[in-house]
Amino acid sequence: MLWEAVVFAALGLLAAWTASRMFPLRLPASLLVLATGPVASLVGGLVTYSIVGGHHPEATFPAALLTAAALLSVLARPPRRGRHAKILSP
């Protein structure tokens, strides 16, 4: 069980890092995103682990990743448009 919790946290951290790199303008501060990913993944993985049992990693790992992605999407804000939008220079 301990190694699965470590994998859940690693999956959440990977999801958070990927989201912060793909959508830097739509997500808040990186520290919040990088903290939300592992916590969400741990919660989702442990809830799934308790529902389906410990002998089904094919269900618990994707559920942990999907929970992390869902809670990270809650942090996203819509892109700014209009005259107050940030202009990025290459």
Side-chain angles (χ1 to χ4, degrees):
M1 176 60 199
L2 180 64
W3 71 272
E4 289 174 336
V6 171
V7 173
F8 294 152
L11 282 173
L13 190 61
L14 179 67
W17 183 80
T18 303
S20 67
R21 296 297 174 243
M22 289 180 66
F23 308 109
L25 296 178
R26 297 187 79 181
L27 291 172
S30 290
L31 186 60
L32 177 64
V33 173
L34 292 177
T36 301
V39 170
S41 183
L42 273 171
V43 169
L46 293 176
V47 166
T48 307
Y49 183 88
S50 67
I51 292 172
V52 298
H55 301 292
H56 299 286
E58 67 276 359
T60 55
F61 293 138
L65 188 61
L66 288 174
T67 306
L71 286 179
L72 286 170
S73 71
V74 171
L75 295 176
R77 55 183 173 248
R80 296 181 69 162
R81 302 212 186 260
R83 62 182 180 163
H84 295 292
K86 292 181 182 177
I87 298 174
L88 297 177
S89 59

